[in-house]
């Protein structure tokens, strides 16, 4: 079994201490990942800082050219890397390829943005002075990414920080480090200067503490659970370290009686079942207006039953395994709880015990009351709770009755309603007649307990830039 290396200061480092990487479709290890201890992570931050001193000096255009070359490498290697993503994460191969295409697009977007770290010239208030606002890179960035989109969420962080002139130490998730190693191979192939981008792995809490406590690390960017986000917030309080946090979601999906029903069903299918339901912007609660409730359910259940479940490497599979047994147990518990609250299980909902992997049949549960667990907590599985509503005002209130606010979806053809929803739904991203709102050029992030700050778009690079006011006396 191959032991994959870390990428440290331009060197490939294989260590004695390793952990197993499990293929969730087979519930067995297929590779090992090298691990380092906290003092070696501190060394990586030192090296990243040394690299920062020159990386920040080169032009944005030159940094962008590196990112374009990395994008080309990633694109060229997509067949091999997509198999790796599927093997460590479980998602169907077609979705791994989409993930790579999105990562390539992020790199290209930020390659172009690298040239545009604009400042401002501000008219002076008194004579004899001039005022400038300039943007400078924040410094070394500690990036922590999760397992559900193992490539693109790390690349998203790296591309924006590198474009801004920062250097990056990335810690991928324990379950899925290999996509990041494959990305580092692309970085290495284009001869990015040593230390500008590095990969570390080891104890997550120790690496997190090193990022927090080491003064050379100037910012942490994190995607993951709200509970780990809270650990980082507590640690950041000690040293006043800036954080960008993309945390949990609990997205409502609203279908109004004036919607194009077929499109609404297709939108709900993708918003719910993409990545086997393991997406922070997954539709977790589906509200359908009463006059079309039964018709929606009929179509939605038929399409859910037709989903092909299996090993993501096999052609045509649409639903892969969950990441582990715990995830399958949580999905089963959410369904049990909904049924105990009077909901009806219309299809699926079974852990496929006859298979070795962590497979769970996509489920639709109807008439789930708002107090059901799956209406309150992120399920992170192919479980779709559906319930009826009567009025727009009522459903907006129910949709917003959550501590989370990452994404929301609505299907309607009424223009006035569209604007009312845009303005009143409490979410950082809203898909109107669109189940897949994410795109490189628009900000990605949440409100309330879904996090702080934005990735992607103009905001994505600004997150890694300091704003400085320069006042010049010229008299
Ligand atoms: P999930 O529930 O999706 O696995 P986590 O928040 O546990 O989400 O994991 C997201 C990332 O955070 C992973 O890279 C994980 O290793 C890392 N992580 C877990 N615990 C900590 C911690 N105490 N400090 C910093 N990072 C952590």
């Amino acid at each position: 079994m191959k032991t994959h290396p870390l990428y440290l200061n331009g060197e490939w480092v294989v260590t004695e201490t390793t952990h197993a990487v499990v293929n969730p479709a087979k519930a067995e290890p297929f590779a090992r990942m090298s691990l380092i201890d906290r003092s070696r992570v501190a060394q990586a931050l030192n090296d990243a800082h040394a690299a920062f001193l020159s990386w920040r000096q080169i032009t944005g255009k030159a940094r962008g050219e590196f990112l374009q070359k990395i994008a080309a490498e990633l694109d060229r290697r997509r067949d091999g890397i997509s198999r790796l993503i599927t093997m460590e994460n479980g998602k169907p191969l077609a979705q791994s390829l989409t993930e790579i295409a999105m990562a390539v697009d992020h790199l290209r977007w930020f390659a172009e943005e690298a040239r545009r770290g604009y400042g401002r010239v501000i008219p002076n208030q008194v004579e004899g002075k001039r005022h400038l606002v300039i943007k400078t890179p924040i410094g070394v960035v500690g990036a922590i990414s999760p397992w559900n989109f193992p490539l693109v969420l790390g690349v998203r962080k790296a591309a924006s920080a590198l474009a801004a002139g920062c250097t990056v130490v990335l810690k991928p998730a324990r379950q899925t480090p290999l996509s990041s190693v494959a990305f580092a191979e692309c970085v290495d192939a284009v001869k990015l200067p040593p230390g500008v981008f590095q990969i570390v792995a080891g104890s997550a809490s120790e690496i997190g503490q090193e990022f927090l406590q080491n003064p050379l690390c100037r910012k942490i960017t994190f995607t993951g659970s709200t509970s780990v986000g809270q650990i980082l917030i507590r640690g950041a309080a000690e040293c006043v370290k800036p954080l960008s946090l993309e945390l949990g979601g609990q997205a409502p999906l609203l279908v109004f009686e004036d919607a194009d029903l077929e499109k609404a069903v297709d939108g709900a299918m993708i918003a719910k079942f993409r990545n086997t339901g393991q997406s922070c912007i997954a539709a977790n609660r589906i509200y359908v207006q009463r006059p079309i409730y039964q018709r929606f359910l009929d179509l939605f259940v038929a399409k859910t039953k037709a989903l092909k479940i299996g090993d993501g490497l096999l052609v045509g599979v649409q639903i892969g395994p969950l990441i582990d047994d715990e995830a399958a147990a949580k999905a089963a518990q959410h369904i049990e709880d909904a049924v105990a609250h009077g909901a009806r299980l219309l299809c699926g909902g079974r852990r496929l015990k006859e298979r070795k992997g962590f497979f769970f049949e996509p489920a639709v549960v109807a008439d789930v009351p708002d107090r059901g667990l799956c209406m309150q907590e992120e399920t992170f599985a192919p479980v779709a709770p559906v319930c009826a509503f009567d009025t727009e005002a009522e459903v907006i209130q129910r949709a917003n009755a959550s501590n989370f606010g990452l994404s929301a979806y609505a299907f309607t053809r009424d223009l006035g309603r569209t604007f009312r929803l845009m303005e009143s739904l409490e979410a950082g991203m809203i898909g109107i007649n669109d189940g897949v709102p994410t795109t490189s050029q628009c900000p990605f992030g949440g409100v309330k307990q879904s996090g702080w700050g934005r990735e992607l778009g103009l905001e994505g690079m600004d997150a890694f830039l300091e704003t400085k006011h320069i006042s010049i006396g010229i008299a």
Side-chain angles (χ1 to χ4, degrees):
M1 205 177 289
K2 180 174 174 187
T3 297
H4 291 253
L6 297 153
Y7 187 59
L8 297 167
N9 207 23
E11 306 278 335
W12 294 106
V13 178
V14 176
T15 60
E16 298 260 298
T17 326
T18 63
H19 76 63
V21 183
V22 171
N23 178 346
K26 297 196 158 50
E28 61 190 29
F30 69 98
R32 300 198 72 80
M33 182 65 197
S34 299
L35 305 175
I36 47 176
D37 64 16
R38 183 167 171 172
S39 63
R40 187 64 188 82
V41 176
Q43 180 61 45
L45 293 171
N46 267 327
D47 295 334
H49 182 252
F52 171 65
L53 300 178
S54 7
W55 181 247
R56 65 173 302 175
Q57 299 295 349
I58 70 170
T59 61
K61 182 167 186 281
R63 290 197 296 268
E65 280 160 7
F66 272 114
L67 293 179
Q68 290 285 9
K69 287 188 205 157
I70 298 170
E73 278 298 324
L74 187 56
D75 195 31
R76 199 171 62 73
R77 297 166 189 227
R78 64 181 178 271
D79 289 338
I81 298 180
S82 59
R83 290 183 69 80
L84 204 56
I85 294 177
T86 292
M87 284 172 73
E88 66 177 359
N89 165 280
K91 73 181 66 186
L93 206 50
Q95 294 184 26
S96 297
L97 283 164
T98 309
E99 180 169 346
I100 294 172
M102 186 179 264
V104 168
D105 197 61
H106 290 350
L107 286 157
R108 292 189 175 141
W109 160 262
F110 284 111
E112 292 159 10
E113 262 326 270
R115 301 164 76 155
R116 289 190 269 274
Y118 300 140
R120 281 181 291 161
V121 178
I122 294 177
N124 43 315
Q125 184 99 347
V126 294
E127 292 198 7
K129 281 194 183 195
R130 295 294 182 270
H131 300 284
L132 306 179
V133 171
I134 63 164
K135 300 275 183 171
T136 55
I138 196 164
V140 174
V141 171
I144 302 176
S145 59
W147 53 262
N148 61 334
F149 288 88
L151 177 77
V152 77
L153 295 180
V155 171
R156 188 174 287 183
K157 293 170 171 46
S160 45
L162 295 177
C166 298
T167 54
V168 175
V169 178
L170 171 67
K171 189 209 91 62
R174 180 181 52 79
Q175 297 91 330
T176 56
L178 307 186
S179 314
S180 299
V181 176
F183 177 66
E185 284 169 0
C186 301
V187 166
D188 192 56
V190 309
K191 303 199 165 40
L192 199 71
V196 171
F197 175 80
Q198 302 178 80
I199 301 273
V200 297
S203 153
S205 59
E206 283 186 19
I207 295 171
Q209 288 309 309
E210 187 59 33
F211 284 177
L212 283 166
Q213 288 164 18
N214 191 320
L216 292 177
C217 177
R218 292 293 166 82
K219 168 139 195 177
I220 299 177
T221 172
F222 169 82
T223 301
S225 60
T226 299
S227 57
V228 174
Q230 286 165 327
I231 295 176
L232 295 175
I233 291 169
R234 278 193 284 272
E238 293 286 310
C239 45
V240 195
K241 186 147 303 192
L243 301 175
S244 283
L245 302 172
E246 200 263 273
L247 308 177
Q250 207 347 8
L253 185 146
L254 283 38
V255 184
F256 290 88
E257 60 177 323
D258 59 60
D260 176 329
L261 192 58
E262 294 271 345
K263 279 201 184 134
V265 171
D266 288 344
M269 289 298 292
I270 190 152
K272 175 71 257 180
F273 295 116
R274 189 172 66 110
N275 218 32
T276 313
Q278 302 171 115
S279 159
C280 47
I281 60 166
N284 220 51
R285 309 172 270 153
I286 301 177
Y287 300 92
V288 183
Q289 207 158 17
R290 206 170 302 276
I292 56 163
Y293 184 56
Q294 193 53 50
R295 272 167 51 222
F296 177 91
L297 279 176
D298 293 345
L299 288 170
F300 190 58
V301 168
K303 291 206 169 182
T304 304
K305 280 182 175 164
L307 288 170
K308 190 167 171 203
I309 180 167
D311 185 332
L313 290 177
L314 302 174
V315 179
V317 163
Q318 295 158 297
I319 295 283
L322 290 173
I323 193 71
D324 53 26
D325 250 330
E326 222 181 312
K330 183 175 180 190
Q333 186 208 1
H334 276 201
I335 293 176
E336 239 171 70
D337 172 86
V339 171
H341 280 94
R344 293 177 291 137
L345 177 61
L346 300 184
C347 67
R350 206 168 54 88
R351 164 87 160 84
L352 298 185
K353 292 240 166 68
E354 62 278 17
R355 299 202 194 196
K356 269 188 82 190
F358 310 119
F359 291 99
F360 194 87
E361 255 178 0
V364 179
V365 202
D367 312 339
V368 186
D370 290 356
R371 62 184 187 285
L373 215 47
C374 59
M375 303 298 270
Q376 298 187 18
E377 281 180 15
E378 197 171 25
T379 309
F380 236 61
V383 176
V386 189
C387 58
F389 72 90
D390 292 301
T391 68
E392 182 185 306
E394 167 211 336
V395 79
I396 290 174
Q397 187 271 326
R398 290 169 70 185
N400 287 342
S402 165
N403 288 332
F404 295 101
L406 190 57
S407 60
Y409 304 87
F411 289 82
T412 176
R413 284 184 288 198
D414 181 316
L415 187 60
R417 171 173 284 153
T418 298
F419 273 80
R420 289 192 295 277
L421 293 169
M422 274 161 45
E423 289 162 14
S424 55
L425 286 175
E426 296 173 349
M429 294 165 283
I430 302 176
I432 305 280
N433 302 321
D434 183 6
V436 204
T438 310
T439 185
S440 299
Q441 62 269 36
C442 297
F444 185 102
V447 304
K448 299 198 272 188
Q449 291 185 18
S450 288
W452 293 348
R454 294 291 181 273
E455 300 191 280
L456 303 180
L458 304 181
E459 292 83 353
M461 195 169 88
D462 209 47
F464 299 105
L465 291 168
E466 296 284 17
T467 300
K468 287 184 189 162
H469 165 216
I470 318 296
S471 180
I472 307 171
I474 59 162

